[in-house]
Amino acid sequence: MKKLTDTYTLPNGCPIPCVGFGTWQTPDGETAVSSVREALRVGYRHIDTAACYGNEVSVGEGIRQSGVNREDIFVTSKVWNSERGYDKTLRAFEKTLADLGLDYLDLYLIHWPAAAHQYEDWDALNLSTWRAMTELYKAGRIRAIGVSNFLPHHIASLMETEVPPMLNQIEFHPGYMQPEIVRYCRERGVLVEAWSPLGTGRVLGNETLCAIAQKYGVSTAQLCIRWCLQHDTLPLPKSVTPARIEQNTHVFDFTVSDEDMKTIDALPYIGGSGFHPDRVDF
Ligand code: A2P
């Protein structure tokens, strides 16, 4: 990857820009509008949102205000946990499109797996949500479909369906690499996206990371984003601060050495969301 608009290719051939702009925890209203507009102004062409972020209307407005052609932007959203199942997923998709003010999505994801601690029939529920996603995909309403926060035991039955998930968006940052699911996805050609590549900001003060970043003359945030790319994952850094939004795009003019990659890979848990799909209470 040499620039922001270079792409990974999904299993169905669909190109996806290699860094996405994250909007989790971006407040709805002017903050979301202006940060999305700014991201598109400085060159991002991939915006990641979700119904549960509560900011889809503003994200859509930011896209329109940017003046960038719709077909030049890759837009992702996700079906929330309360909308699982075939009928509800179809309805949730229409609401997401209406809120964003778009007539198709590039990528639609199941936000979290239904899991055994909450549902006896969790696997059937995920399959029924997936059936709706598959139908929307086959009808041309979405260019690609996938999942988020799925571990191997959650995704396994979906991999056996007519249209297996093309991508899995998971928490991935220094100190939290989830090697088992990353390996599972890689072996099956499922692209891994990294949400909170900066550990929601909590890894940025780590001394080891700061020292390595300093060596390359970059910020710790840039180091984390670059480290994700060198692991062949697709980072989704979030910021509402114009200078940081731009800084996070400058990750193509340095390469982290193998030795430094290994040092970062060996870091113990530093911080992050603290969410685990088999334990969350939402
Ligand atoms: P803000 O949005 O106030 O600019 P993640 O993407 O891992 O969830 O991390 C997002 C957090 O990291 C936000 O608090 C964001 O702050 C902060 N952040 C994003 N980019 C940078 C940067 N380049 N330098 C410092 N903090 C950053």
Side-chain angles (χ1 to χ4, degrees):
M1 302 295 167
K2 295 198 168 58
K3 57 182 191 308
L4 211 52
T5 49
D6 281 351
T7 53
Y8 289 104
T9 305
L10 293 172
N12 66 344
C14 183
I16 175 169
C18 66
V19 177
F21 182 64
T23 64
W24 177 42
Q25 297 184 320
T26 296
D28 191 28
E30 186 47 32
T31 306
V33 174
S34 61
S35 55
V36 167
R37 194 179 57 217
E38 180 64 10
L40 291 164
R41 190 184 72 78
V42 300
Y44 292 83
R45 288 295 178 270
H46 175 171
I47 309 287
D48 185 90
T49 186
C52 106
Y53 300 170
N55 57 19
E56 286 179 310
V57 171
S58 305
V59 167
E61 182 59 26
I63 290 173
R64 274 183 298 284
Q65 286 189 11
S66 75
V68 177
N69 287 335
R70 166 66 185 100
E71 58 272 22
D72 294 332
I73 309 174
F74 192 98
V75 183
T76 301
S77 191
K78 315 180 189 86
V79 57
W80 184 237
N81 301 355
S82 55
E83 311 307 313
R84 293 180 179 119
Y86 180 78
D87 291 325
K88 285 209 270 181
T89 297
L90 292 180
R91 279 201 295 275
F93 173 75
E94 299 301 340
K95 175 156 176 26
T96 273
L97 270 195
D99 285 351
L100 284 163
L102 301 177
D103 54 14
Y104 71 95
L105 276 185
D106 294 278
L107 179 66
Y108 199 40
L109 307 177
I110 303 182
H111 206 146
W112 289 87
H117 69 301
Q118 287 178 321
Y119 297 94
E120 211 170 304
D121 61 345
W122 59 274
D123 201 27
L125 187 51
N126 288 330
L127 281 165
S128 132
T129 307
W130 191 247
R131 192 160 60 85
M133 312 273 291
T134 303
E135 198 166 291
L136 291 163
Y137 170 68
K138 286 170 73 177
R141 313 283 311 277
I142 319 172
R143 292 176 67 213
I145 50 176
V147 295
S148 183
N149 303 302
F150 276 53
L151 298 177
H153 57 283
H154 304 123
I155 198 174
S157 55
L158 274 57
M159 292 306 297
E160 303 303 317
T161 64
E162 182 189 359
V163 183
M166 301 167 193
L167 176 152
N168 190 4
Q169 181 181 126
I170 60 168
E171 183 174 357
F172 183 89
H173 49 75
Y176 195 69
M177 296 180 67
Q178 306 210 62
E180 198 191 340
I181 182 62
V182 170
R183 196 178 324 111
Y184 180 100
C185 289
R186 193 137 296 153
E187 285 170 4
R188 290 159 181 82
V190 176
L191 182 68
V192 173
E193 283 190 328
W195 66 259
S196 282
L198 319 177
T200 66
R202 291 191 180 101
V203 307
L204 298 178
N206 177 269
E207 276 179 24
T208 305
L209 292 174
C210 291
I212 295 175
Q214 205 173 10
K215 214 166 75 178
Y216 294 96
V218 298
S219 71
T220 312
Q222 288 169 309
L223 175 71
C224 292
I225 296 165
R226 178 74 204 181
W227 171 86
C228 287
L229 288 168
Q230 288 185 218
H231 273 301
D232 297 321
T233 66
L234 193 160
L236 302 166
K238 170 267 179 187
S239 176
V240 295
T241 314
R244 293 173 173 174
I245 292 172
E246 188 184 0
Q247 182 195 95
N248 294 346
T249 68
H250 299 301
V251 293
F252 299 98
D253 51 4
F254 68 103
T255 302
V256 183
S257 71
D258 289 346
E259 193 190 338
D260 288 332
M261 287 296 287
K262 287 198 185 97
T263 303
I264 300 171
D265 292 354
L267 286 172
Y269 187 72
I270 305 162
S273 76
F275 297 148
H276 188 285
D278 283 321
R279 290 194 287 275
V280 292
D281 60 1
F282 46 77

Short mmCIF file of all heavy atoms in Angstrom, two decimals, residues 1-7 18-19 252:
data_model
loop_
_atom_site.label_atom_id
_atom_site.label_comp_id
_atom_site.label_asym_id
_atom_site.label_seq_id
_atom_site.Cartn_x
_atom_site.Cartn_y
_atom_site.Cartn_z
N MET A 1 0.84 -1.19 0.00
CA MET A 1 0.00 0.00 0.00
C MET A 1 0.88 1.26 0.00
O MET A 1 1.74 1.40 0.85
CB MET A 1 -0.91 0.00 1.25
CG MET A 1 -1.81 -1.23 1.35
SD MET A 1 -3.01 -1.29 0.01
CE MET A 1 -3.61 -2.98 0.20
N LYS A 2 0.63 2.14 -0.95
CA LYS A 2 1.49 3.32 -1.08
C LYS A 2 0.73 4.62 -0.85
O LYS A 2 1.31 5.68 -0.66
CB LYS A 2 2.12 3.35 -2.47
CG LYS A 2 3.08 2.18 -2.71
CD LYS A 2 3.99 2.47 -3.88
CE LYS A 2 5.13 1.49 -3.98
NZ LYS A 2 4.67 0.08 -4.11
N LYS A 3 -0.60 4.54 -0.90
CA LYS A 3 -1.38 5.74 -0.64
C LYS A 3 -2.77 5.36 -0.12
O LYS A 3 -3.18 4.19 -0.25
CB LYS A 3 -1.47 6.63 -1.88
CG LYS A 3 -2.04 5.97 -3.12
CD LYS A 3 -2.02 6.96 -4.27
CE LYS A 3 -2.80 6.49 -5.49
NZ LYS A 3 -2.47 5.15 -5.98
N LEU A 4 -3.44 6.39 0.43
CA LEU A 4 -4.73 6.20 1.11
C LEU A 4 -5.79 5.52 0.25
O LEU A 4 -6.65 4.81 0.75
CB LEU A 4 -5.23 7.61 1.49
CG LEU A 4 -6.07 7.81 2.71
CD1 LEU A 4 -5.42 7.19 3.93
CD2 LEU A 4 -6.30 9.30 2.92
N THR A 5 -5.71 5.77 -1.07
CA THR A 5 -6.74 5.23 -1.95
C THR A 5 -6.35 3.90 -2.58
O THR A 5 -7.09 3.35 -3.38
CB THR A 5 -7.06 6.25 -3.07
OG1 THR A 5 -5.83 6.68 -3.64
CG2 THR A 5 -7.82 7.44 -2.54
N ASP A 6 -5.15 3.39 -2.23
CA ASP A 6 -4.83 2.03 -2.67
C ASP A 6 -5.81 1.08 -2.00
O ASP A 6 -6.34 1.38 -0.93
CB ASP A 6 -3.39 1.66 -2.30
CG ASP A 6 -2.38 2.28 -3.27
OD1 ASP A 6 -2.83 2.82 -4.30
OD2 ASP A 6 -1.18 2.24 -2.99
N THR A 7 -6.05 -0.06 -2.62
CA THR A 7 -7.14 -0.90 -2.14
C THR A 7 -6.71 -2.33 -1.81
O THR A 7 -5.78 -2.87 -2.41
CB THR A 7 -8.26 -0.99 -3.21
OG1 THR A 7 -7.68 -1.42 -4.45
CG2 THR A 7 -8.95 0.34 -3.41
N CYS A 18 -7.57 1.20 1.59
CA CYS A 18 -6.81 0.51 2.62
C CYS A 18 -6.81 1.15 4.00
O CYS A 18 -6.35 0.53 4.97
CB CYS A 18 -5.38 0.28 2.14
SG CYS A 18 -4.46 1.81 1.94
N VAL A 19 -7.29 2.38 4.11
CA VAL A 19 -7.49 2.99 5.43
C VAL A 19 -8.90 3.59 5.43
O VAL A 19 -9.28 4.27 4.48
CB VAL A 19 -6.47 4.12 5.73
CG1 VAL A 19 -6.76 4.78 7.07
CG2 VAL A 19 -5.04 3.57 5.71
N PHE A 252 2.45 6.38 4.77
CA PHE A 252 2.96 5.62 3.62
C PHE A 252 4.41 5.96 3.27
O PHE A 252 4.96 5.40 2.33
CB PHE A 252 2.06 5.86 2.40
CG PHE A 252 0.65 5.41 2.64
CD1 PHE A 252 -0.33 6.32 3.02
CD2 PHE A 252 0.31 4.06 2.56
CE1 PHE A 252 -1.63 5.90 3.28
CE2 PHE A 252 -0.97 3.64 2.82
CZ PHE A 252 -1.95 4.56 3.19
#
